[in-house]
């Protein structure tokens, strides 16, 4: 009996041991399957079977809790993907979004879907978002554009005055309302990231980016920058917030002529050597205002300060912006800005940029190389896990805070909000408040709407492309009337009554005119440009424009020169021959705002946001 009991005991022991071995092998295999699926496109291993939410997907938790939960689940490759900002046309294959778990894409100026319609934009961006749904963690994509004066890439969007004109309004409430309108038009096409406002301080009118600024007064730039951020980042029922980006940190407007690292430019992307005191008191002030307004991201510029490229400036990015000012959002580098740190050594550039405080890299093209560099730098601990997690946490925090995890796809139900009549009227209000009267010593204005003979001429009289300037459909802007809107000429014709005769010749050739017309209006100024392409040493009117003014003077009793330009143009040499000089800056598509003040329906209220000597 005893022997039987012994055998039975040993059998039971062996059975238990076998079961234990089997269980441990099978669970190890399961664990291994999980780690393998980390890098695969398998439908998420993490998702609970019954579709209940994981903590990071639970909007009832705080954004910080969600960030921590999500970060704890992320692999290194998933983290690197969140730090990459790729321009859409450099995507080798749309599936690379899922393959590389990319966290952000952008449309550079002129990088448009086909067709360039609200449907075209929505379908394109939704197709990108769809890719993220194939990844393990399904982190939604940020899509960014430069809606610096309206959704400028989209044909048919309302184009507001560029910031230099908005600076002349000195009207924070107006600027906030513009931000709200622009955000609506962006959201309607699934875009929740705007690389605006520029908080640069204009110090040298020769700079091609002067018109992108609110002017040269730090206090004015701060107030209007805050207002625009407030408007753009307005919360909206069950729609993500549009994230603003304060740019170009720090002191992009303080560079010296002839120091650009771009061989074709002179000021843009140049060197600044102003004192730290000046950098702080003048150029940092608007960024402090933006941080207190809760701006979600800040873009490091392509310029240098004291010989150091901004994307690699640890003192300004980490010491000042993150530690001293407590910026909790994320810092994004500008176009190729990281590569510019050391053009001959991508590895050194990326390590320097990330360790200096860049959280997201606007690569914008070779993302595969970016991944290789990041893997190597992390493996060698040239970039620490701590820095990696800090950068990714900042990016994820913004995504949670703007509501991107709750809604990242766009339906077509909001297309009606694009170029709404109310947006056109808002743009018209902005135009009339931006127009500045530079000279009217004979009190020629306001013009009469009736019983008058008006001659209109000039390169910018009937040209929405010139009215809109750069960052409109194309990076360098467009020529002619390819977009909807009201030109200055059309506005004049719509304003006067039937007893007034309006005649137009772009070159001011009026052979039929024998008696002097009552009024001649020369609408002249600058061709569209953007960034360093607009760096120009001599700021004066073209020969053609001067000829138009001369011809019109011969045919009119009173001569008005209306300037369509992005910065103060030197008109001292023609000032004495002209009765009225007005600047409308770059007013955008609503030219009627100009005639509202010229014909007296509204007073001139615009105040120069930048010095413009005309004597
Ligand atoms: C440009 C500009 C920057 C813009 C970015 C993306 O180079 O410097 O203002 O936001 O690229 O288009």
């Amino acid at each position: 009996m005893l022997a039987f009991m012994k055998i039975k005991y040993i059998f039971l022991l062996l059975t238990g041991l076998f079961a234990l071995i089997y269980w441990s092998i099978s669970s190890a295999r399961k664990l291994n399957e999980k780690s393998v699926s980390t890098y695969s496109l398998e439908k998420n291993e993490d998702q609970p079977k019954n579709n209940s939410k994981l903590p990071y997907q639970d909007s009832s938790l705080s954004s910080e809790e969600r960030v921590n939960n999500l970060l704890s689940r992320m692999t290194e490759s998933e983290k690197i993907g969140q730090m990459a900002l790729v321009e859409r046309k450099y995507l080798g294959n749309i599936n690379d979004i899922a393959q590389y778990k990319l966290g952000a894409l952008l449309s550079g100026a002129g990088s448009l879907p086909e067709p360039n319609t609200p449907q075209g934009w929505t379908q394109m961006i939704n197709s990108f978002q769809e890719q993220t749904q194939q990844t393990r963690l399904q982190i939604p994509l940020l899509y960014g554009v430069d809606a610096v004066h309206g959704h400028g890439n989209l044909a048919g969007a309302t184009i507001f005055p560029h910031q230099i004109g908005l600076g002349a309004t000195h009207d924070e409430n107006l600027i906030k309302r513009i931000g709200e309108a622009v955000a609506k038009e962006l959201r309607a096409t699934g875009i929740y990231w705007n690389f605006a406002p520029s908080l640069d301080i204009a110090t040298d009118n020769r700079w091609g980016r002067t018109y992108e600024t609110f002017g040269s007064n730090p206090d004015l730039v701060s107030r209007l920058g805050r207002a625009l951020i407030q408007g753009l980042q307005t919360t909206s029922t069950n729609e993500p917030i549009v994230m603003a980006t304060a740019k170009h940190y720090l002191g992009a407007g303080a560079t010296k002529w002839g120091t650009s690292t771009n061989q074709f430019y002179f000021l843009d992307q140049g060197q600044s050597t102003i004192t730290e005191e000046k950098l702080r008191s003048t150029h940092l002030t608007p960024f402090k205002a933006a941080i207190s307004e809760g701006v979600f991201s800040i873009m490091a510029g392509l310029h240098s300060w004291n010989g150091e490229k901004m994307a690699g400036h640890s003192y300004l990015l980490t010491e000042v912006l993150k530690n001293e000012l407590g910026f909790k959002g994320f810092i994004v580098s500008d176009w190729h800005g990281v590569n510019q740190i050391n053009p001959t050594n991508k590895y050194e550039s990326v390590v320097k940029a990330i360790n200096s405080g860049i959280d997201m890299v606007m690569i914008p093209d070779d993302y595969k190389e970016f991944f290789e560099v990041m893997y190597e730098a992390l493996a060698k601990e040239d970039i620490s896990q701590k820095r990696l997690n800090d950068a990714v946490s900042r990016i994820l925090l913004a995504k949670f805070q703007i509501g991107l995890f709750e809604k990242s796809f766009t339906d077509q139900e909001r297309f009606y909000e694009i170029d709404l009549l109310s947006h056109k009227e808002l743009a018209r209000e902005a135009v009339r408040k931006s127009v500045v009267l530079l000279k009217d010593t004979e009190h020629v204005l306001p013009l009469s709407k009736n019983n008058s003979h008006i001659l209109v001429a000039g390169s910018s009289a009937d040209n929405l492309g010139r009215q809109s300037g750069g960052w409109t459909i194309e990076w360098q802007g467009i020529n002619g009337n390819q977009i909807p809107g009201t030109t200055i000429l059309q506005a004049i014709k719509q304003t006067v009554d039937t007893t007034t005769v309006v005649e137009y010749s772009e070159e001011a050739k009026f052979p039929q005119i024998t008696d002097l017309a009552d009024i001649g209006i020369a609408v002249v100024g600058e061709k569209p440009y953007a960034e360093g392409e607009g760096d120009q040493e001599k700021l004066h009117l073209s020969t053609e424009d001067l000829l138009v003014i001369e011809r019109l003077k011969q045919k009119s009793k009173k001569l008005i020169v209306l300037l369509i330009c992005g910065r103060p143009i030197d008109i001292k040499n023609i000032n004495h021959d002209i009765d009225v000089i007005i600047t409308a800056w770059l007013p955008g598509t609503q030219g009627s705002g100009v005639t509202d003040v010229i014909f007296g329906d509204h007073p001139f209220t615009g105040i120069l946001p930048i010095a413009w000597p005309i004597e």
Side-chain angles (χ1 to χ4, degrees):
M1 180 61 174
L2 187 60
F4 172 73
M5 291 293 287
K6 273 185 181 176
I7 292 166
K8 187 180 172 193
Y9 178 71
I10 291 167
F11 173 77
L12 287 175
L13 192 65
L14 287 173
T15 309
L17 196 58
F18 174 75
L20 182 66
I21 291 166
Y22 175 78
W23 176 81
S24 57
I25 289 171
S26 65
S27 58
R29 187 180 296 119
K30 208 179 237 337
L31 195 64
N32 180 45
E33 277 167 12
K34 184 175 172 112
S35 64
V36 167
S37 74
T38 298
Y39 295 96
S40 75
L41 294 183
E42 290 304 306
K43 198 68 183 163
N44 54 72
E45 294 289 320
D46 278 333
Q47 281 298 343
K49 302 308 168 209
N50 60 4
N51 265 342
S52 64
K53 290 184 185 301
L54 290 171
Y56 75 87
Q57 295 168 322
D58 178 355
S59 60
S60 68
L61 298 181
S62 75
S63 295
E64 290 74 10
E65 287 171 310
R66 300 175 79 181
V67 168
N68 293 335
N69 182 266
L70 177 51
L71 194 69
S72 68
R73 300 167 186 277
M74 294 173 78
T75 63
E76 194 166 87
S77 71
E78 288 163 334
K79 292 176 182 176
I80 296 170
Q82 291 301 306
M83 296 173 69
L85 173 57
V86 178
E87 213 287 340
R88 57 172 280 276
K89 60 177 175 289
Y90 293 111
L91 274 175
N93 183 316
I94 191 170
N95 299 322
D96 280 1
I97 294 172
Q99 183 70 29
Y100 288 84
K101 303 136 190 119
L102 297 178
L105 294 177
L106 79 140
S107 271
S111 181
L112 317 172
E114 179 52 47
N116 181 13
T117 60
Q119 293 84 349
W121 280 90
T122 304
Q123 283 158 9
M124 173 181 77
I125 296 172
N126 280 343
S127 70
F128 295 151
Q129 291 292 6
E130 181 48 50
Q131 284 289 309
T132 67
Q133 297 308 300
Q134 298 174 33
T135 62
R136 191 172 69 91
L137 297 171
Q138 300 179 340
I139 302 172
L141 201 65
L142 270 175
Y143 199 87
V145 295
D146 296 274
V148 295
H149 63 150
H151 194 346
N153 271 330
L154 170 63
T158 305
I159 303 297
F160 294 88
H162 267 294
Q163 285 189 202
I164 194 69
L166 299 183
T169 70
H170 288 68
D171 185 336
E172 285 144 270
N173 176 272
L174 169 73
I175 306 304
K176 182 185 175 195
R177 287 181 286 132
I178 289 174
E180 289 166 352
V182 173
K184 278 183 184 166
E185 299 201 15
L186 288 172
R187 266 200 298 265
T189 54
I191 295 170
Y192 307 112
W193 191 10
N194 187 3
F195 305 131
S198 163
L199 298 184
D200 295 332
I201 304 290
T203 65
D204 186 332
N205 298 341
R206 298 173 296 180
W207 190 30
R209 308 200 76 167
T210 298
Y211 71 79
E212 295 180 64
T213 75
F214 285 120
S216 56
N217 179 317
D219 175 58
L220 177 66
V221 173
S222 301
R223 289 188 289 111
L224 300 187
R226 263 188 99 129
L228 190 50
I229 290 165
Q230 211 173 49
L232 283 170
Q233 296 187 169
T234 303
T235 52
S236 162
T237 47
N238 68 43
E239 283 287 315
I241 291 168
V242 170
M243 206 166 65
T245 303
K247 69 183 187 182
H248 305 81
Y249 185 85
L250 178 62
T255 55
K256 281 197 299 195
W257 184 265
T259 63
S260 177
T261 48
N262 180 315
Q263 58 176 327
F264 302 108
Y265 298 168
F266 298 98
L267 275 171
D268 196 37
Q269 305 182 25
Q271 306 272 349
S272 162
T273 56
I274 60 175
T275 63
E276 179 165 350
E277 191 284 323
K278 183 74 174 164
L279 190 69
R280 285 175 173 269
S281 61
T282 301
H283 300 271
L284 188 59
T285 305
F287 286 91
K288 286 181 180 173
I291 292 168
S292 61
E293 191 53 48
V295 72
F296 282 103
S297 64
I298 288 178
M299 185 184 291
L302 295 170
H303 60 292
S304 307
W305 180 58
N306 289 347
E308 187 97 72
K309 274 285 180 183
M310 211 39 64
H313 214 296
S314 176
Y315 173 66
L316 292 178
L317 297 177
T318 297
E319 294 300 310
V320 175
L321 193 49
K322 291 180 175 178
N323 297 346
E324 181 185 319
L325 299 182
F327 178 56
K328 296 291 181 251
F330 67 90
I331 304 176
V332 59
S333 60
D334 196 350
W335 192 276
H336 282 147
V338 169
N339 292 350
Q340 287 181 10
I341 294 170
N342 180 347
T344 60
N345 187 324
K346 292 268 176 76
Y347 182 86
E348 183 190 304
S349 294
V350 169
V351 168
K352 171 83 173 155
I354 304 302
N355 289 340
S356 295
I358 296 291
D359 302 303
M360 185 187 283
V361 177
M362 187 188 296
I363 300 170
D365 44 17
D366 196 341
Y367 47 94
K368 295 174 184 174
E369 183 181 54
F370 175 69
F371 271 78
E372 288 158 14
V373 167
M374 285 296 291
Y375 283 133
E376 182 184 351
L378 290 161
K380 291 178 178 174
E381 297 185 357
D382 287 337
I383 294 176
S384 69
Q385 291 297 320
K386 184 169 183 282
R387 178 73 266 275
L388 173 72
N389 289 333
D390 172 52
V392 175
S393 299
R394 287 170 177 268
I395 294 163
L396 295 177
L397 182 63
K399 289 187 175 183
F400 282 120
Q401 288 175 329
I402 68 170
L404 199 59
F405 278 79
E406 278 59 59
K407 184 175 191 289
S408 58
F409 285 86
T410 314
D411 29 43
Q412 311 206 356
E413 66 185 26
R414 305 178 76 96
F415 286 168
Y416 71 90
E417 292 189 320
I418 295 168
D419 207 22
L420 276 173
L421 177 60
S422 60
H423 292 180
K424 288 192 185 75
E425 287 167 351
L426 177 60
R428 179 170 177 172
E429 176 189 350
V431 172
R432 63 171 170 261
K433 289 181 174 178
S434 67
V435 178
V436 179
L437 182 57
L438 298 173
K439 176 186 179 184
D440 184 15
T441 39
E442 304 296 315
H443 306 295
V444 173
L445 299 180
L447 298 183
S448 164
K449 295 178 184 178
N450 45 43
N451 302 316
S452 183
H453 184 194
I454 300 175
L455 303 181
V456 181
S459 52
S460 303
D462 193 31
N463 193 319
L464 288 168
R466 288 234 179 174
Q467 280 176 218
S468 302
W471 302 97
T472 312
I473 306 297
E474 294 299 334
W475 179 42
Q476 295 297 313
I478 52 176
N479 189 32
N481 297 330
Q482 307 165 40
I483 52 178
T486 305
T487 66
I488 306 294
L489 173 66
Q490 290 164 345
I492 293 169
K493 288 181 173 175
Q494 290 164 13
T495 303
V496 299
D497 75 11
T498 52
T499 61
T500 288
V501 174
V502 177
E503 293 185 78
Y504 168 66
S505 160
E506 183 174 342
E507 297 174 338
K509 290 178 177 173
F510 298 101
Q512 74 283 9
I513 304 281
T514 49
D515 300 334
L516 290 184
D518 300 303
I519 297 289
I521 305 177
V523 190
V524 294
E526 294 188 298
K527 291 178 182 168
Y529 54 82
E531 302 191 50
E533 308 290 329
D535 288 355
Q536 191 168 315
E537 186 156 23
K538 300 292 180 198
L539 300 175
H540 45 61
L541 290 173
S542 66
T543 312
E544 296 77 17
D545 282 347
L546 292 171
L547 189 53
V548 160
I549 291 170
E550 189 48 43
R551 285 178 183 152
L552 214 45
K553 192 168 70 171
Q554 306 303 324
K555 296 281 184 176
S556 317
K557 293 171 188 167
K558 294 293 181 188
L559 177 58
I560 297 173
V561 168
L562 171 60
L563 295 162
I564 303 296
C565 55
R567 54 194 161 186
I569 300 289
D570 182 352
I571 47 173
K572 296 191 198 75
N573 58 336
I574 56 167
N575 170 21
H576 48 280
D577 283 347
I578 300 168
D579 300 294
V580 179
I581 303 175
I582 300 165
T583 182
W585 310 103
L586 297 171
T589 49
Q590 303 310 309
S592 301
V594 176
T595 46
D596 284 344
V597 288
I598 289 180
F599 286 90
D601 291 331
H602 290 269
F604 280 90
T605 57
I607 301 166
L608 285 176
I610 191 167
W612 192 335
I614 63 168
E615 299 296 336

